Amino acid sequence: MLRKTNPQKRNLLIFALLTAGLTQLHAQQQQVKGAVQNEKGEFLPGVSVKAIQVNGGSSVITSTNSQGLFHFQNLVEHVGYQFVFSAVGFQSDTLSGYVIEARKPLSLNVKLQRGLVKLDEVVIGYGRVSRKDLTSSITSVKAEDANVGVFTSPAQMLQGKVAGLTISTNNSNPMPRLLLA
């Protein structure tokens, strides 16, 4: 049928089909979007946002960008979700009871409260070890001692405060290496 029509009509039909497809794709990209702020109203970058299907299905994780904004795309429609927000130094927050509907984007805005978290696990390489199971020494640096001065990296903050810790930089790598003696 397209062979007998003139090329302008055929091109117009192809353009209409492509436009309809792109519109549908754009709608999928804006299923859930939002922002995360602290209690002062400042936007928080690097906050982990997890979308968990309520029926025990899969979960999807994203994080906020440098402006504190996040979005989810390609979530399953007509399914309930809960959204878990977590960041180091802040209390986690959960929003529940949201159902993803076609052409009805969700907008979520969350304010996280500062919180103190006691660490009972130490991350070593790719595994975790409980503090009580470690056979080597552990050093703690108190917040009052760590926040003295101006630092450009966590390694500079620890320099001179942890016995046996050597910090060296390699010119080809901008991040310092931490070496324990």
Side-chain angles (χ1 to χ4, degrees), residues 47-52 58-63 71-72 75 84 86:
V47 175
S48 175
V49 185
K50 186 174 188 179
I52 304 169
S58 64
S59 62
V60 180
I61 300 175
T62 189
S63 61
H71 72 276
F72 285 101
L75 295 177
V84 179
S86 59

Side-chain angles (χ1 to χ4, degrees), residues 109-145:
N109 295 311
V110 176
K111 284 194 177 185
L112 294 181
Q113 302 295 320
R114 288 216 177 264
L116 298 177
V117 178
K118 181 180 177 188
L119 297 177
D120 57 354
E121 290 183 344
V122 177
V123 178
I124 301 173
Y126 293 104
R128 292 177 183 246
V129 177
S130 176
R131 247 182 121 104
K132 66 181 179 178
D133 295 334
L134 285 176
T135 57
S136 61
S137 64
I138 297 176
T139 299
S140 297
V141 178
K142 294 181 181 177
E144 301 86 39
D145 299 331

